[in-house]
Amino acid sequence: MNIIKPIILSVLLLAIPVITQRQEVKISMEYCNQSKLLIINIVNNIDKEVIIMNQSSLNELSGSRVIIRRKINEKQSDVIIPLFDTEKGKRIPVKVLPQKGILSVPYYLDTMGLSNPIKIQVQLVAFIKDEKTNKQITKEYSSELYIK
């Protein structure tokens, strides 16, 4: 019994930082296999706006992007696409997510020629103003969805 008390106490102390730490931006995904529709939901959990940087047109590995792993003829391949598509024919460099705001981004994978997805990963790059220094700091978030 004396051994159990320290173990329980140490587990509780380890859990405190996880419980009190709040993630500023949360990413969730939904996939409808019937319509081949992927919906990415981005939620701002803080009381200040978050600026989301889209994938760079110069470097596909910088900025926010969606990586779709698909399986064709028993082979897997990855396709990288920007988080945001174009609006009115122009590429979107950033989007502002207002405080406590929600942004939903739909993708019809069949119309994009991206059939048979098995894994979808969102890598998001966000800028948030630091209250102490009054400067923009960069934060990176990631989320994965496995499709059966």
Side-chain angles (χ1 to χ4, degrees):
M1 191 68 175
N2 289 340
I3 297 173
I4 295 174
K5 283 182 183 178
I7 292 173
I8 291 173
L9 183 61
S10 63
V11 168
L12 287 174
L13 289 175
L14 287 173
I16 289 172
V18 174
I19 293 170
T20 58
Q21 187 178 13
R22 188 171 97 188
Q23 191 171 12
E24 294 93 349
V25 176
K26 182 181 177 204
I27 305 166
S28 64
M29 291 179 270
E30 303 167 39
Y31 182 72
C32 177
N33 215 354
Q34 225 174 9
S35 62
K36 308 295 185 209
L37 173 64
L38 168 67
I39 299 174
I40 299 172
N41 297 304
I42 304 165
V43 179
N44 180 354
N45 290 321
I46 57 176
D47 291 328
K48 47 188 163 182
E49 69 182 21
V50 173
I51 300 169
I52 300 170
M53 185 175 107
N54 201 12
Q55 179 187 35
S56 169
S57 59
L58 301 175
N59 181 356
E60 70 178 11
L61 298 177
S62 68
S64 301
R65 58 199 171 274
V66 180
I67 302 168
I68 300 171
R69 177 164 293 158
R70 55 193 187 144
K71 190 172 188 176
I72 301 173
N73 299 328
E74 300 303 316
K75 293 184 181 179
Q76 295 182 9
S77 65
D78 288 348
V79 176
I80 301 172
I81 58 174
L83 181 60
F84 307 120
D85 202 2
T86 58
E87 284 181 3
K88 298 178 184 174
K90 293 188 179 185
R91 186 172 181 81
I92 304 165
V94 296
K95 275 209 177 194
V96 177
L97 188 56
Q99 57 186 0
K100 302 286 185 185
I102 299 172
L103 177 65
S104 292
V105 185
Y107 295 92
Y108 289 94
L109 298 184
D110 263 3
T111 61
M112 299 170 71
L114 299 173
S115 57
N116 304 321
I118 57 173
K119 177 184 168 189
I120 298 170
Q121 181 181 21
V122 175
Q123 295 177 349
L124 188 134
V125 177
F127 299 105
I128 301 169
K129 193 174 225 176
D130 185 7
E131 292 176 6
K132 294 175 186 170
T133 62
N134 209 21
K135 293 181 180 179
Q136 295 283 358
I137 57 171
T138 305
K139 297 247 181 162
E140 295 183 13
Y141 304 93
S142 183
S143 182
E144 293 180 343
L145 174 68
Y146 290 89
I147 301 169
K148 293 183 179 186

